[in-house]
Amino acid sequence: LESEQRNLKAEKQKLAEITHMGHEANRALTQSEQRLKQAQSIARVGNFEYDPATDRLSASAEALRIFGLDGDGSRLTLSDLKAQAPDFHAFIGGFGTRKRDMCKFRLKVFGPGKMAHQEKMGYAQAECGDGSDLSSRKIIGVVQDITALHQAEEEKKELEAKLARSQKMEALGLLAGGVAHDLNNVLTGIVGYPDMMLMRLPSNSNLREPLIVMRDSRQKAAAIVQDLLTLARRGVTSVEVVNLNDLIDQYLASPEFAKLQSYHPQVEFRVDKQDPLSNISTSPVHMKKSLMNLVSNAAEALPEGGRVRIASSSRYIDKPLK
């Protein structure tokens, strides 16, 4: 009896040790599973296993997140994925027709716009498990969320396109600078002659008006050269204190306005200027171009006739415009 008691005590001791070892193994397994889950979450990689015999799909928590699904990964079927990732359904469906020596597959699981809740991009890679019957072999694979990589590639393409546009604009700037330099050389010979001829002509000479037009055209050509230099980043826009009414009068007396009136005889041009009008600091050349474009667009918008009103007034803006 004493011998049996000692044996029973020894068996209890061994059982306690085995139980303790089992608890330690379970704790280590739990920690290992937590580390694996954390590692998959950091790497955005999940694993899955599909059993064709039962049509069951088991997946890790990270794989479920990538698929856009919640719940227990051990109770999924292919139909659960069909609405979320149609490409994945076709991907699995093609496994049964593969030959044994070709039982390795790669495929983009889904693309932007196919997810029900948010846009994602995934990449799956799988292969068949062991077994003689191909139709019953389990399919083991991994899926990776490459949304961030896809976005980075799109941003890279956008930056490359911006760089190409910047280089193109730089080339255009160099070309514009060369053209402006050549135009300056051409204008040098005709810059001062109209003024010199006007000084020597009598006030009632018929040549004064053509010379004035020539002088004004020279100023416009110089403005064009200035625009080209600005495009080439070699020039600085000339800003002066001017009165907008004076610029309006100059435009109304220009050949461009006379030509516009001849093209649109059915349009009435009405001028309503505030006098006195506050001065402004601006580029006279660009302001006159803006005025010319506005009036021209207004006239062209009235093919059946109408009235274009050119008005000026002083306005004070003490808050941002919306």
Side-chain angles (χ1 to χ4, degrees), residues 48-52 56-58 88 91-96 103 105 125-130 134-142:
F48 63 90
E49 179 179 307
Y50 173 66
D51 187 355
R56 292 294 179 179
L57 179 77
S58 60
F88 187 78
F91 173 57
I92 292 293
F95 274 30
C103 201
F105 314 100
Q125 182 171 347
E127 63 181 32
C128 296
D130 297 332
L134 181 62
S135 62
S136 62
R137 292 166 65 182
K138 293 184 179 180
I139 299 168
I140 302 172
V142 295

Side-chain angles (χ1 to χ4, degrees), residues 84-137:
Q84 300 289 341
D87 287 349
F88 187 78
H89 182 266
F91 173 57
I92 292 293
F95 274 30
T97 60
R98 304 289 178 151
K99 295 181 181 180
R100 181 175 303 181
D101 56 350
M102 297 177 58
C103 201
K104 291 185 179 181
F105 314 100
R106 297 179 181 180
L107 187 71
K108 284 185 178 179
V109 178
F110 39 78
K114 293 184 179 180
M115 296 302 296
H117 305 292
Q118 57 183 324
E119 294 185 353
K120 288 184 180 180
M121 179 77 73
Y123 180 79
Q125 182 171 347
E127 63 181 32
C128 296
D130 297 332
S132 58
D133 186 4
L134 181 62
S135 62
S136 62
R137 292 166 65 182

